[in-house]
């Protein structure tokens, strides 16, 4: 099972130098995948949670591809209806080529109604538009000249039933986001049943979980996967491995944009997880 990190590409503490440090730190710790999120117009509803500067994902990942050597690069998640599907296809193919086949395209429907309005895209049609994007990507990528570095994995993000169905029909992996452990166990069973009912392969499981390392175990019933003591977090990873997860992405953002001013806190937690996942007897100090 591979481990990845959702790198913070927004907020008051984020600039090109910090993004470069994020990339080199995550790669140096041995993580397999670096991902960033997507907003195009930082409208008030977006800015409340993810304030400017907000670095556009294709531009950011293309730059980070040049300062890294091994780590895969991806989106968690690109809001599919924000761009013309052929533009997405071309940018993704070029980024995959320029990074020597390291790109992973995660997509979702998005949630920011004001941003949809600013971009002139119908919010109520976001599900159908996302389906159209996924179909168009597959068709566009049949041209081998745009696909020299290899096939780009397509992940569908989201926890809803439509997101699961979209992953089954149109993607390579389902990418659920920030959840309680019990919810995922139940929902993976639904995913398999739905795929079987349509005679389709079960998509790979590639969840994104929180990363909140605490000194003492978290015992509340609503504890999220990835939250708690190092033993709890490693236990969550092992449970995900047994569920069949191929990649798990850590999201260290707790919701306060001020966290972007202190990325070393997230780096410390990521270092602890990497050490214990690779060596269960590692010290927590």
């Amino acid at each position: 099972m591979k481990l990845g990190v959702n790198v913070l590409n927004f907020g008051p503490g984020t600039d090109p130098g910090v993004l470069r440090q994020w990339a080199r730190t995550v790669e140096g710790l041995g993580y397999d995948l670096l991902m960033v999120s997507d907003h195009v117009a930082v409208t008030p509803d977006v800015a409340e949670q993810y304030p400017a500067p907000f670095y556009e994902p294709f531009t950011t990942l293309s730059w980070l591809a040049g300062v890294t050597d091994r780590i895969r690069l991806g989106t968690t998640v690109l809001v599919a209806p924000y761009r013309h599907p052929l533009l997405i296809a071309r940018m993704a193919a070029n980024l995959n080529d320029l990074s020597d086949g390291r790109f992973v395209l995660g997509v979702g429907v998005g949630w920011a109604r004001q941003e949809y309005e600013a971009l002139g895209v119908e919010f109520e049609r976001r599900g159908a538009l996302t389906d159209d994007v996924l179909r168009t990507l597959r068709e566009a990528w049949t041209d081998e000249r745009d696909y020299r570095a290899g096939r780009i994995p397509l992940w569908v993000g989201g926890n809803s039933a439509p997101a699961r169905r979209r992953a089954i029909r149109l993607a390579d992996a389902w990418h659920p986001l920030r959840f309680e452990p019990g919810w995922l166990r139940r929902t993976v069973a639904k995913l398999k049943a739905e795929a079987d009912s349509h005679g389709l392969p079960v998509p790979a499981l590639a969840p994104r979980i929180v990363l909140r390392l605490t000194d003492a175990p978290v015992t509340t019933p609503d504890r999220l996967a990835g939250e708690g003591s190092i033993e709890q977090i490693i236990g969550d990873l092992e449970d995900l491995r047994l569920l069949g997860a191929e990649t798990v992405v850590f999201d260290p953002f707790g919701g306060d944009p001020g966290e972007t001013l202190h990325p070393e806190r997230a780096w410390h937690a990521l270092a602890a997880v990497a050490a214990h996942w690779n060596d269960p007897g590692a010290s927590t100090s």
Side-chain angles (χ1 to χ4, degrees):
M1 189 176 74
K2 306 294 186 181
L3 300 184
V5 180
N6 179 27
V7 166
L8 310 185
N9 57 322
F10 57 86
T14 301
D15 61 28
V18 170
L19 285 167
R20 182 171 56 245
Q21 284 182 282
W22 264 107
R24 290 177 172 169
T25 297
V26 169
E27 184 173 57
L29 289 171
Y31 285 87
D32 177 74
L33 174 63
L34 178 161
M35 307 192 90
V36 296
S37 53
D38 178 38
H39 285 287
V40 174
V42 185
T43 48
D45 52 350
V46 173
E48 185 175 349
Q49 299 183 52
Y50 310 110
F54 202 111
Y55 288 82
E56 194 277 330
F58 282 111
T59 311
T60 302
L61 293 173
S62 295
W63 180 64
L64 293 179
V67 299
T68 56
D69 300 310
R70 172 197 55 80
I71 198 164
R72 291 186 296 159
L73 307 156
T75 53
T76 177
V77 289
L78 192 84
V79 184
Y82 284 176
R83 300 165 182 83
H84 193 285
L86 291 178
L87 177 62
I88 297 174
R90 174 55 54 119
M91 290 192 294
N94 286 172
L95 176 49
N96 194 55
D97 214 12
L98 292 167
S99 65
D100 196 23
R102 289 189 280 153
F103 185 52
V104 176
L105 181 58
V107 304
V109 300
W111 55 269
R113 183 181 289 271
Q114 292 174 7
E115 188 173 25
Y116 266 91
E117 293 172 355
L119 294 169
V121 183
E122 293 182 60
F123 183 79
E124 288 75 13
R125 294 192 63 238
R126 63 195 186 279
L129 291 170
T130 298
D131 290 349
D132 289 343
V133 167
L134 290 166
R135 294 188 187 99
T136 302
L137 289 175
R138 292 296 195 207
E139 293 173 5
W141 287 339
T142 58
D143 186 343
E144 291 298 324
R145 291 173 296 176
D146 290 337
Y147 217 32
R148 290 172 297 185
R151 190 170 183 273
I152 300 169
L154 270 176
W155 295 5
V156 165
N159 296 8
S160 67
R164 292 197 309 271
R165 292 193 292 268
R166 187 169 292 118
I168 291 168
R169 292 183 290 109
L170 299 169
D172 302 301
W174 178 46
H175 185 49
L177 315 171
R178 302 172 71 99
F179 47 78
E180 297 172 13
W183 175 86
L184 187 66
R185 284 192 292 270
R186 296 189 298 272
T187 310
V188 164
K190 295 179 182 178
L191 180 76
K192 293 178 179 177
E194 289 167 356
D196 290 345
S197 70
H198 294 285
L200 295 171
V202 179
L205 179 62
R208 190 180 90 195
I209 66 175
V210 304
L211 177 60
R212 191 171 80 86
L213 179 61
T214 60
D215 293 330
V218 174
T219 58
T220 55
D222 58 350
R223 183 186 76 87
L224 298 175
E227 180 181 28
S229 66
I230 190 65
E231 292 79 12
Q232 286 179 301
I233 295 171
I234 296 301
D236 290 335
L237 288 178
E238 181 61 19
D239 288 344
L240 290 168
R241 186 187 69 81
L242 293 174
L243 274 176
E246 294 187 358
T247 301
V248 175
V249 179
F250 281 109
D251 184 357
F253 184 54
D256 178 5
E259 296 171 35
T260 62
L261 296 164
H262 306 284
E264 64 278 357
R265 297 173 183 171
W267 298 342
H268 174 77
L270 288 166
V273 169
H276 281 76
W277 183 245
N278 294 316
D279 179 8
S283 169
T284 59
S285 62

